[in-house]
Amino acid sequence: MGVADIPLLSQIKGRMTWLDERQRLIAQNVANSDTPGYVGRDLKAPTDFAAAMREGGGLRMVQTSAGHMSVNTPVARFTSEASPDSETTLDGNAVVVEEQMLKMAESRMAYDAAIGLYTKSMAMIGLAAKVPGR
């Protein structure tokens, strides 16, 4: 089992991928803040475990023995949905730059927390793998 196969690190990586995709969508919303009729998009937050199981939600099967059937690792898929902000202009644009900046800051803080957790986890693994007495 390699370090990349540790479930905690895999989950952190999945969270960082989700946050990266969310940042991309927010940047797209800001870029289109003056486009008539544009409605901002956001990623659906992964909150329901049962729904994640039904939709696949980035979960994957693991081949634990060479005798088991091989499995394809699915690419993480996230669904974006229309997410109009609190105001809509007369030309139909539903993006408020200030609200998008708040979403971006929220995503950035969550990303920083995930990186911190990943870094601490790697440090703990390094400490556990260290030869005693050195």
Side-chain angles (χ1 to χ4, degrees):
M1 175 186 241
V3 174
D5 298 328
I6 296 173
L8 174 65
L9 298 180
S10 176
Q11 291 295 323
I12 294 170
K13 181 181 174 189
R15 175 72 172 162
M16 289 174 21
T17 303
W18 185 87
L19 289 165
D20 182 49
E21 181 67 18
R22 185 169 192 232
Q23 286 282 68
R24 189 187 66 73
L25 280 174
I26 292 169
Q28 185 177 7
N29 291 344
V30 171
N32 287 296
S33 64
D34 290 333
T35 304
Y38 185 82
V39 176
R41 300 194 67 75
D42 201 355
L43 291 182
K44 186 166 61 168
T47 56
D48 184 17
F49 180 74
M53 291 297 290
R54 283 192 301 276
E55 298 170 7
L59 300 174
R60 63 184 174 94
M61 293 175 49
V62 177
Q63 183 179 5
T64 57
S65 171
H68 293 169
M69 292 179 10
S70 64
V71 294
N72 296 328
T73 304
V75 177
R77 48 177 193 225
F78 306 111
T79 55
S80 65
E81 56 188 23
S83 176
D85 289 337
S86 62
E87 300 173 9
T88 302
T89 59
L90 293 175
D91 65 1
N93 185 292
V95 175
V96 177
V97 176
E98 291 82 4
E99 290 181 28
Q100 295 298 316
M101 292 296 107
L102 287 173
K103 288 180 185 179
M104 189 170 284
E106 174 187 287
S107 293
R108 179 62 193 186
M109 288 188 303
Y111 195 86
D112 287 344
I115 286 177
L117 184 58
Y118 188 85
T119 303
K120 294 288 185 183
S121 298
M122 290 301 292
M124 285 181 14
I125 291 169
L127 185 61
K130 193 174 179 182
V131 176
R134 285 192 181 183

